[in-house]
Amino acid sequence: MDDGTAAANANGIQGNGDGAREEKAPDHGPLGYTNPYPFGPSGYNPYPVGPPAGPQELQLIAPPPQFRRFGNAAALGLITFGICTVQESMMQAGMSVGFGHGYGTMTAQSIAVAGIAQLLAGLWQIANGDTFEGAAFTSFGASWLAKGLAEVPGVGVIAFHAQEAPDLVRKQRGIVALTWSIWVFILLAGNVKSHVANIVLFTTLNLELHFSCAGTWLGHERLTKAGGWFGFFCGLSAMYNAAVILLNEENFWFNLPVGNWYTPTPIDDEEAAAVYEP
């Protein structure tokens, strides 16, 4: 191969053997399509199962951390949720301060830490393309923010509850807890193929909200305390999951174990392309 031919091939032009030159077709990937919305350096394809059938059916998959536009905000969402959940659950379970006391001290942290910080973490994860974590952190951040604002006297929630009968207020809170119990069950179902640390987190979260819902609705102190204990372990589990992200072989002696138990079956290019065949 002479220098001219080598230069032509380097520029994407190949010879056909007769001295004529033709342009080399662009590389469209193994399935014959290009990535119109690249997240990062070439080589990452957010459409691993084939080209989208249409704009209305476009569904992006969360890119790997090295291709994300922002840093991984999951650790921020987990640690803010875990810290405030442990604190509130200790008060709910009656640890040290007695049952039902000390919630007023959580107002500022409910607004700033578990509220605003966790809400922002969820929005960052949505921007990163992680819909699941984005929905979880954003919804719980908004819930904690609402819980903290409800304790502020000027908002009017405290004055409204003061005018209602105690049983009615208790049942109203039970209805709120019931809807969140349904939501966390959906989150648990979306984690059954995740690692054990995540499953423990969402299992204890479900138990916390289910017991707290029943205890609040029925006015049963033991059920409410049981929900507080489950919430205590849920918060610790969230803090452990945050540590899993932050502590690795680059800045720690080893990677923290998470208990990977499920290995998905990979889909080859032919099977993936068959999904989009007309």
Side-chain angles (χ1 to χ4, degrees), residues 165-177 216-218:
D167 289 343
L168 182 60
V169 174
R170 174 174 51 79
K171 292 180 180 180
Q172 290 172 347
R173 292 175 175 172
I175 293 174
V176 174
T216 302
W217 201 310
L218 301 176

PDB file of all heavy atoms in Angstrom, residues 165-177 216-218:
ATOM      1  N   ALA A 165     -61.554  17.352  64.454  1.00  0.00           N
ATOM      2  CA  ALA A 165     -61.579  16.343  65.511  1.00  0.00           C
ATOM      3  C   ALA A 165     -60.337  15.469  65.401  1.00  0.00           C
ATOM      4  O   ALA A 165     -59.884  15.163  64.295  1.00  0.00           O
ATOM      5  CB  ALA A 165     -62.840  15.489  65.391  1.00  0.00           C
ATOM      6  N   PRO A 166     -59.760  15.035  66.525  1.00  0.00           N
ATOM      7  CA  PRO A 166     -58.536  14.224  66.482  1.00  0.00           C
ATOM      8  C   PRO A 166     -58.679  12.949  65.655  1.00  0.00           C
ATOM      9  O   PRO A 166     -57.767  12.565  64.923  1.00  0.00           O
ATOM     10  CB  PRO A 166     -58.251  13.920  67.951  1.00  0.00           C
ATOM     11  CG  PRO A 166     -58.923  15.043  68.698  1.00  0.00           C
ATOM     12  CD  PRO A 166     -60.143  15.384  67.906  1.00  0.00           C
ATOM     13  N   ASP A 167     -59.836  12.281  65.766  1.00  0.00           N
ATOM     14  CA  ASP A 167     -60.033  11.048  64.990  1.00  0.00           C
ATOM     15  C   ASP A 167     -60.051  11.341  63.498  1.00  0.00           C
ATOM     16  O   ASP A 167     -59.547  10.547  62.698  1.00  0.00           O
ATOM     17  CB  ASP A 167     -61.333  10.364  65.405  1.00  0.00           C
ATOM     18  CG  ASP A 167     -61.247   9.750  66.789  1.00  0.00           C
ATOM     19  OD1 ASP A 167     -60.107   9.571  67.281  1.00  0.00           O
ATOM     20  OD2 ASP A 167     -62.304   9.451  67.374  1.00  0.00           O
ATOM     21  N   LEU A 168     -60.623  12.458  63.113  1.00  0.00           N
ATOM     22  CA  LEU A 168     -60.675  12.822  61.701  1.00  0.00           C
ATOM     23  C   LEU A 168     -59.279  13.135  61.176  1.00  0.00           C
ATOM     24  O   LEU A 168     -58.915  12.720  60.062  1.00  0.00           O
ATOM     25  CB  LEU A 168     -61.604  14.025  61.510  1.00  0.00           C
ATOM     26  CG  LEU A 168     -61.807  14.497  60.062  1.00  0.00           C
ATOM     27  CD1 LEU A 168     -62.396  13.382  59.212  1.00  0.00           C
ATOM     28  CD2 LEU A 168     -62.719  15.730  60.033  1.00  0.00           C
ATOM     29  N   VAL A 169     -58.493  13.851  61.955  1.00  0.00           N
ATOM     30  CA  VAL A 169     -57.121  14.156  61.546  1.00  0.00           C
ATOM     31  C   VAL A 169     -56.311  12.874  61.414  1.00  0.00           C
ATOM     32  O   VAL A 169     -55.528  12.710  60.465  1.00  0.00           O
ATOM     33  CB  VAL A 169     -56.465  15.115  62.563  1.00  0.00           C
ATOM     34  CG1 VAL A 169     -54.994  15.324  62.238  1.00  0.00           C
ATOM     35  CG2 VAL A 169     -57.192  16.452  62.576  1.00  0.00           C
ATOM     36  N   ARG A 170     -56.500  11.964  62.351  1.00  0.00           N
ATOM     37  CA  ARG A 170     -55.775  10.693  62.309  1.00  0.00           C
ATOM     38  C   ARG A 170     -56.121   9.904  61.048  1.00  0.00           C
ATOM     39  O   ARG A 170     -55.230   9.356  60.377  1.00  0.00           O
ATOM     40  CB  ARG A 170     -56.111   9.887  63.568  1.00  0.00           C
ATOM     41  CG  ARG A 170     -55.536   8.493  63.575  1.00  0.00           C
ATOM     42  CD  ARG A 170     -55.790   7.821  64.911  1.00  0.00           C
ATOM     43  NE  ARG A 170     -57.188   7.886  65.314  1.00  0.00           N
ATOM     44  CZ  ARG A 170     -58.137   7.081  64.839  1.00  0.00           C
ATOM     45  NH1 ARG A 170     -57.825   6.165  63.943  1.00  0.00           N
ATOM     46  NH2 ARG A 170     -59.386   7.191  65.269  1.00  0.00           N
ATOM     47  N   LYS A 171     -57.389   9.841  60.681  1.00  0.00           N
ATOM     48  CA  LYS A 171     -57.794   9.114  59.484  1.00  0.00           C
ATOM     49  C   LYS A 171     -57.314   9.815  58.215  1.00  0.00           C
ATOM     50  O   LYS A 171     -56.992   9.158  57.212  1.00  0.00           O
ATOM     51  CB  LYS A 171     -59.310   8.946  59.469  1.00  0.00           C
ATOM     52  CG  LYS A 171     -59.822   8.016  60.567  1.00  0.00           C
ATOM     53  CD  LYS A 171     -61.333   7.873  60.521  1.00  0.00           C
ATOM     54  CE  LYS A 171     -61.811   6.939  61.622  1.00  0.00           C
ATOM     55  NZ  LYS A 171     -63.287   6.773  61.607  1.00  0.00           N
ATOM     56  N   GLN A 172     -57.283  11.151  58.235  1.00  0.00           N
ATOM     57  CA  GLN A 172     -56.750  11.870  57.087  1.00  0.00           C
ATOM     58  C   GLN A 172     -55.278  11.523  56.857  1.00  0.00           C
ATOM     59  O   GLN A 172     -54.845  11.305  55.716  1.00  0.00           O
ATOM     60  CB  GLN A 172     -56.922  13.378  57.296  1.00  0.00           C
ATOM     61  CG  GLN A 172     -58.363  13.855  57.223  1.00  0.00           C
ATOM     62  CD  GLN A 172     -58.508  15.310  57.624  1.00  0.00           C
ATOM     63  OE1 GLN A 172     -57.583  15.910  58.182  1.00  0.00           O
ATOM     64  NE2 GLN A 172     -59.672  15.888  57.357  1.00  0.00           N
ATOM     65  N   ARG A 173     -54.517  11.462  57.923  1.00  0.00           N
ATOM     66  CA  ARG A 173     -53.112  11.075  57.809  1.00  0.00           C
ATOM     67  C   ARG A 173     -52.978   9.616  57.374  1.00  0.00           C
ATOM     68  O   ARG A 173     -52.036   9.264  56.654  1.00  0.00           O
ATOM     69  CB  ARG A 173     -52.402  11.307  59.140  1.00  0.00           C
ATOM     70  CG  ARG A 173     -52.256  12.781  59.505  1.00  0.00           C
ATOM     71  CD  ARG A 173     -51.667  12.963  60.889  1.00  0.00           C
ATOM     72  NE  ARG A 173     -51.431  14.366  61.175  1.00  0.00           N
ATOM     73  CZ  ARG A 173     -51.067  14.834  62.371  1.00  0.00           C
ATOM     74  NH1 ARG A 173     -50.893  13.981  63.388  1.00  0.00           N
ATOM     75  NH2 ARG A 173     -50.878  16.136  62.551  1.00  0.00           N
ATOM     76  N   GLY A 174     -53.906   8.785  57.793  1.00  0.00           N
ATOM     77  CA  GLY A 174     -53.894   7.395  57.356  1.00  0.00           C
ATOM     78  C   GLY A 174     -54.127   7.261  55.866  1.00  0.00           C
ATOM     79  O   GLY A 174     -53.513   6.409  55.204  1.00  0.00           O
ATOM     80  N   ILE A 175     -54.995   8.100  55.304  1.00  0.00           N
ATOM     81  CA  ILE A 175     -55.231   8.077  53.857  1.00  0.00           C
ATOM     82  C   ILE A 175     -53.970   8.478  53.104  1.00  0.00           C
ATOM     83  O   ILE A 175     -53.603   7.862  52.092  1.00  0.00           O
ATOM     84  CB  ILE A 175     -56.406   9.012  53.493  1.00  0.00           C
ATOM     85  CG1 ILE A 175     -57.714   8.456  54.066  1.00  0.00           C
ATOM     86  CG2 ILE A 175     -56.512   9.182  51.983  1.00  0.00           C
ATOM     87  CD1 ILE A 175     -58.895   9.382  53.886  1.00  0.00           C
ATOM     88  N   VAL A 176     -53.278   9.492  53.602  1.00  0.00           N
ATOM     89  CA  VAL A 176     -52.019   9.913  52.980  1.00  0.00           C
ATOM     90  C   VAL A 176     -50.999   8.785  53.033  1.00  0.00           C
ATOM     91  O   VAL A 176     -50.313   8.482  52.038  1.00  0.00           O
ATOM     92  CB  VAL A 176     -51.478  11.178  53.675  1.00  0.00           C
ATOM     93  CG1 VAL A 176     -50.101  11.542  53.122  1.00  0.00           C
ATOM     94  CG2 VAL A 176     -52.442  12.343  53.484  1.00  0.00           C
ATOM     95  N   ALA A 177     -50.897   8.118  54.185  1.00  0.00           N
ATOM     96  CA  ALA A 177     -49.946   7.022  54.324  1.00  0.00           C
ATOM     97  C   ALA A 177     -50.309   5.849  53.418  1.00  0.00           C
ATOM     98  O   ALA A 177     -49.427   5.154  52.896  1.00  0.00           O
ATOM     99  CB  ALA A 177     -49.883   6.562  55.779  1.00  0.00           C
ATOM    100  N   THR A 216     -51.571   4.475  62.209  1.00  0.00           N
ATOM    101  CA  THR A 216     -52.170   5.808  62.179  1.00  0.00           C
ATOM    102  C   THR A 216     -53.669   5.728  61.944  1.00  0.00           C
ATOM    103  O   THR A 216     -54.458   6.412  62.611  1.00  0.00           O
ATOM    104  CB  THR A 216     -51.509   6.650  61.072  1.00  0.00           C
ATOM    105  OG1 THR A 216     -50.103   6.729  61.322  1.00  0.00           O
ATOM    106  CG2 THR A 216     -52.091   8.056  61.040  1.00  0.00           C
ATOM    107  N   TRP A 217     -54.081   4.898  61.015  1.00  0.00           N
ATOM    108  CA  TRP A 217     -55.502   4.795  60.663  1.00  0.00           C
ATOM    109  C   TRP A 217     -56.320   4.226  61.831  1.00  0.00           C
ATOM    110  O   TRP A 217     -57.406   4.711  62.131  1.00  0.00           O
ATOM    111  CB  TRP A 217     -55.662   3.902  59.435  1.00  0.00           C
ATOM    112  CG  TRP A 217     -56.961   4.121  58.710  1.00  0.00           C
ATOM    113  CD1 TRP A 217     -58.214   4.147  59.261  1.00  0.00           C
ATOM    114  CD2 TRP A 217     -57.135   4.359  57.317  1.00  0.00           C
ATOM    115  NE1 TRP A 217     -59.168   4.371  58.307  1.00  0.00           N
ATOM    116  CE2 TRP A 217     -58.527   4.508  57.093  1.00  0.00           C
ATOM    117  CE3 TRP A 217     -56.269   4.437  56.242  1.00  0.00           C
ATOM    118  CZ2 TRP A 217     -59.064   4.740  55.827  1.00  0.00           C
ATOM    119  CZ3 TRP A 217     -56.807   4.670  54.983  1.00  0.00           C
ATOM    120  CH2 TRP A 217     -58.174   4.826  54.776  1.00  0.00           C
ATOM    121  N   LEU A 218     -55.773   3.206  62.485  1.00  0.00           N
ATOM    122  CA  LEU A 218     -56.505   2.546  63.570  1.00  0.00           C
ATOM    123  C   LEU A 218     -56.228   3.152  64.931  1.00  0.00           C
ATOM    124  O   LEU A 218     -56.886   2.786  65.915  1.00  0.00           O
ATOM    125  CB  LEU A 218     -56.135   1.057  63.599  1.00  0.00           C
ATOM    126  CG  LEU A 218     -56.428   0.267  62.319  1.00  0.00           C
ATOM    127  CD1 LEU A 218     -55.916  -1.162  62.459  1.00  0.00           C
ATOM    128  CD2 LEU A 218     -57.922   0.274  62.017  1.00  0.00           C
TER     129      LEU A 218
END
